[in-house]
Amino acid sequence: MMKIIGAAFIIVATTWTGFEASRHLSERPRQLRMLKSALQSLDAEIMYGHTPLHEASKRLSTQMAKPLSWFFESFATKLMSGDTTVKLAWEESLKEVWKLTAFKQGEFEIMKQFGETLGRHDRISQQKQILLALSHLEREELDAYERQAKYEKMVKSLGFLSGLLLIILLL
């Protein structure tokens, strides 16, 4: 009886691990879509609303889902404190929230480079920088979809099958 209960725990744990890894693969494209949407909204706020950066970031923090809302909220708070530059506030906020996202290093570099140009140019140049960041994120999103399609089902199955293998080895 104890062996059956132990085997059930092993199957549940390894299957859950596989599904958790699979969730991470499916979360990345969703968060990339949200990030692209946020940058498009930022573009609209800057170009057509003539909204200051801290106000636009505060608005985005209320419109976006977590963890991106945390990023824009942190960025807006740092900007309103007034004792930092836009570049530094962007980078610090990025580093704070990055661990909570499903993004990879490529997205970090794109966002870091975008933050270096944020607030330094006129509206037209800023719009070009946003479009450049969006095109880079589009490429990363395509990669994320490919990885999801390629590995998501395999990771789920691998979790379950590794549990079965462990049970067989222990019996």
Side-chain angles (χ1 to χ4, degrees), residues 4-171:
I4 293 173
I5 293 173
F9 279 133
I10 289 173
I11 289 288
V12 168
T14 57
T15 303
W16 177 77
T17 303
F19 273 81
E20 194 62 29
S22 169
R23 187 187 61 80
H24 187 74
L25 283 171
S26 63
E27 191 66 20
R28 183 174 171 225
R30 188 184 72 77
Q31 287 182 8
L32 277 167
R33 276 193 315 275
M34 285 180 8
L35 182 58
K36 285 174 31 184
S37 173
L39 289 181
Q40 289 168 342
S41 296
L42 184 64
D43 179 36
E45 291 281 347
I46 291 171
M47 289 302 294
Y48 307 111
H50 303 286
T51 310
L53 201 51
H54 66 89
E55 284 181 34
S57 298
K58 196 68 169 166
R59 285 183 191 163
L60 282 174
S61 73
T62 60
Q63 295 171 359
M64 294 288 121
K66 294 175 174 110
L68 288 179
S69 66
W70 293 331
F71 168 72
F72 284 106
E73 185 177 339
S74 171
F75 180 58
T77 304
K78 286 180 185 350
L79 284 178
M80 286 190 283
S81 71
D83 58 341
T84 186
T85 64
V86 173
K87 176 187 171 190
L88 195 58
W90 183 269
E91 221 171 284
E92 287 174 0
S93 300
L94 202 56
K95 287 178 183 174
E96 281 176 14
V97 178
W98 199 258
K99 298 176 282 297
L100 306 172
T101 67
F103 296 137
K104 301 265 185 224
Q105 188 63 29
E107 289 94 356
F108 181 79
E109 291 302 321
I110 292 167
M111 293 303 290
K112 186 177 173 189
Q113 287 175 359
F114 173 70
E116 290 175 4
T117 64
L118 191 61
R120 288 187 169 197
H121 304 286
D122 62 345
R123 290 192 334 250
I124 302 299
S125 297
Q126 191 65 62
Q127 184 180 34
K128 289 178 183 176
Q129 293 297 326
I130 290 173
L131 291 175
L132 178 65
L134 284 172
S135 69
H136 288 306
L137 289 174
E138 182 73 33
R139 184 189 68 230
E140 293 293 328
E141 185 181 12
L142 289 174
D143 176 60
Y145 277 124
E146 288 173 7
R147 291 178 65 87
Q148 179 186 7
K150 193 174 187 180
Y151 296 117
E152 185 176 29
K153 191 172 181 181
M154 181 191 69
V155 170
K156 287 178 182 177
S157 300
L158 194 59
F160 176 74
L161 292 174
S162 64
L164 282 179
L165 177 65
L166 191 59
I167 290 169
I168 291 170
L169 290 175
L170 291 175
L171 289 180

